[in-house]
Amino acid sequence: MRVRARGLMNLRAVLAPVAAGMCVMAAAAAVLVPTLGSDAEDDGPGRGGPSSPAATHRAYGPGAAPASPALATCTEQNAAESLRPSPDDGAAVERIKEKGQLVVGVDQNTYRWGYRDPATGKLVGFDIDLARAIAEDILGPDAKVVFKAVPTNQRMPALRKRSVDMVVRTMTINCARKEQVAFSTSYFQAGQQVLAPKTSKIKAFDDSLRGKRVCTAAGSTGESELAAQRHGAQVLTVPNQLDCLVRLQLGEADAVVTDNALAAAQAAQDPAVELKGKPFTDESYGVAMNKDDTDLVRRVNKVLDDYRGDGGADSPWMRAYRKWLRADMPGISGPPSPEYSD
């Protein structure tokens, strides 16, 4: 079963707490450490919010991991396949247990997925709940989770450098990324779509974008789609998706191309913007890990199997969906089914 998530989001309600920077938090023994900078090293407090217009980085370049020969068989149809689940402890799981904590790369400025609750100051969201479930399975009910806010374009470098144990950050599974990192099975289904002001003449991801300034996050699927076909648009890339929303609201961009799941709350909260056209891709979100950590991939897939449950209304996945996503993306009946390569 493949389930498409529809809709989009405005982060105006969380811009203030996000821009205020990061602090150490203890909620279910979790802490948030500073954002990773452009070289995937800790870059100090307050860097998780909007970046300067000139700050543009790419995830692909010198030092990128070489392609694996096995990836010659990766296709659009089987990209979401992963290793079968196992509860066994291997080298990667043992390393996490020896540290006594799970270090997870997350977002802190995407409403509903990974953001700081303005009322409590705590990091919350659909991805955050999933990260906690993984930590509890590996480390027990008092698991310590260290959250690192990782820009979109630094997700894979952080994994390759082992700055984090995994990334749980609305990350689309595709063949190009599987050359550099490993993925779990899919835990959410999404698609790219255009977000623009309601008054805009932009109609969809088509030639109505000609001559327009279109913003997308560097290293994102949106950037790849615009590189393949920009429909005559001027493309602006920024480190984080939040930066695109800020530029749209400031009139520095005419439209945004991003996952519809990420943009659902933007359209729901900002009466001035709306989705244009329909989703033009079909994408699966997965938990990303270092390619060498195959035992960790299998362990995460075991957690995801438990998280999905039987797909019923009382499964952990459905409870998280109702809590975080249903208001902006109604009509999803259950999680995507896992697909395995072995």
Side-chain angles (χ1 to χ4, degrees), residues 1 80 133 135 171 189 219 242 263 269 314 326:
M1 173 181 66
M171 191 167 177
Q189 201 72 21
L242 177 63
Q269 293 185 6
D314 199 41
R326 184 170 64 177

Side-chain angles (χ1 to χ4, degrees), residues 6 8 112 264-265 268 321-331:
R6 297 183 181 277
L8 287 184
R112 302 294 194 189
Y321 163 70
R322 289 194 299 270
K323 180 178 181 181
W324 299 112
L325 307 178
R326 184 170 64 177
D328 300 324
M329 289 173 284

Side-chain angles (χ1 to χ4, degrees), residues 19 33 37 50 84 165 168 176 194 218 221 237 260 281 288 302 342:
V33 301
R84 290 194 176 275
D165 296 312
V168 186
V194 175
T221 311
T237 56
N260 60 351
T281 63
K302 179 259 184 189
D342 60 350

